[in-house]
């Protein structure tokens, strides 16, 4: 799974990791009223890497947690979802609006492979100082460059270069302004 190869979600080891993540999310999401430093300690327990000052407002949902890396001062607003079957990296200073969804989980295009229960993942990389508007969806395999802006409600299906603004469904990069 972590190498991006086909796997079955029903695998006992994968199920055990998923159950552990669910137990952690129950604790984390119950900590909404706790001070930020206490939530930061909980984040460090559940995620692969959590930079200084990084914060996620509960509720938050993920598949495993250990594949998520947050840089310094990353902020995710309420109700974000990260399907992290492979790596998700979010660079320092990035701000993510409410209800943003980041997907690494993907499924074979071949119906026989889907019927067989196979899945795979493609990593997502989000650079430094990115702003992702509320309700945006980032699809598997996408890279977003430093200083980019993703408009609210956009569905990002392909890479977004550094400094670009992308909006719409599917998201398109706007022409730079002079």
């Amino acid at each position: 799974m972590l190498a991006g190869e086909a796997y079955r979600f029903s695998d006992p080891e994968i199920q055990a990791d998923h159950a552990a993540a669910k137990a952690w999310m129950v604790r984390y999401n119950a900590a909404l009223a706790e001070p930020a430093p206490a939530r930061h300690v909980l984040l460090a327990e559940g995620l692969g890497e959590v930079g200084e000052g990084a914060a996620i407002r509960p509720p938050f949902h993920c598949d495993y947690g250990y594949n998520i890396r947050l840089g310094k001062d990353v902020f995710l607003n309420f109700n974000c979802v990260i399907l992290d079957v492979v790596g998700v990296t979010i660079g320092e200073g990035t701000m993510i609006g409410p209800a943003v969804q980041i997907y690494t989980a993907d499924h074979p295009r071949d119906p026989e492979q889907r019927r067989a229960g196979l899945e795979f993942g493609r990593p997502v990389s989000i650079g430094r100082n990115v702003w992702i508007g509320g309700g945006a969806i980032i699809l598997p395999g996408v890279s977003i460059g430093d200083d980019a802006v993703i408009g609210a409600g956009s569905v990002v299906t392909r890479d977004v270069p550094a400094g670009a603004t992308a909006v719409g469904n599917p998201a398109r990069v706007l022409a730079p302004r002079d």
Side-chain angles (χ1 to χ4, degrees), residues 29-42:
N29 289 330
L32 177 60
E34 296 296 321
R39 285 197 318 272
H40 193 271
V41 168
L42 282 170

Side-chain angles (χ1 to χ4, degrees), residues 5 7 15 22 25 27 53 58 61-62 64 67-69 82 95 99 102 105 113 125 127 129 140 149 158:
E5 296 177 9
Y7 66 90
Q15 287 293 304
K22 286 192 290 189
M25 281 182 282
R27 290 178 37 238
H61 302 280
C62 63
Y64 303 99
N67 293 320
I68 300 170
R69 285 163 179 47
I82 301 179
M95 297 183 296
I102 300 170
Q113 290 180 331
S125 175
N129 196 40
V149 174
R158 62 181 107 181

Side-chain angles (χ1 to χ4, degrees), residues 3 26 37 53 66:
V26 167
Y66 54 66

Side-chain angles (χ1 to χ4, degrees), residues 7-116:
Y7 66 90
R8 284 187 176 79
F9 182 72
S10 60
D11 175 85
E13 184 179 352
I14 291 173
Q15 287 293 304
D17 286 355
H18 189 65
K22 286 192 290 189
W24 170 79
M25 281 182 282
V26 167
R27 290 178 37 238
Y28 186 76
N29 289 330
L32 177 60
E34 296 296 321
R39 285 197 318 272
H40 193 271
V41 168
L42 282 170
L43 277 180
E45 285 179 23
L47 303 186
E49 184 179 320
V50 180
E52 179 184 340
I56 298 176
R57 286 186 172 167
F60 169 71
H61 302 280
C62 63
D63 276 330
Y64 303 99
Y66 54 66
N67 293 320
I68 300 170
R69 285 163 179 47
L70 306 179
K72 180 181 176 196
D73 296 324
V74 166
F75 175 74
L76 280 74
N77 213 326
F78 300 109
N79 212 30
C80 286
V81 173
I82 301 179
L83 302 184
D84 64 312
V85 302
V86 294
V88 174
T89 304
I90 302 173
E92 71 178 58
T94 288
M95 297 183 296
I96 297 178
V100 167
Q101 300 174 51
I102 300 170
Y103 306 150
T104 65
D106 207 340
H107 301 276
R109 304 312 180 255
D110 178 83
E112 292 302 318
Q113 290 180 331
R114 285 195 309 273
R115 245 187 300 286

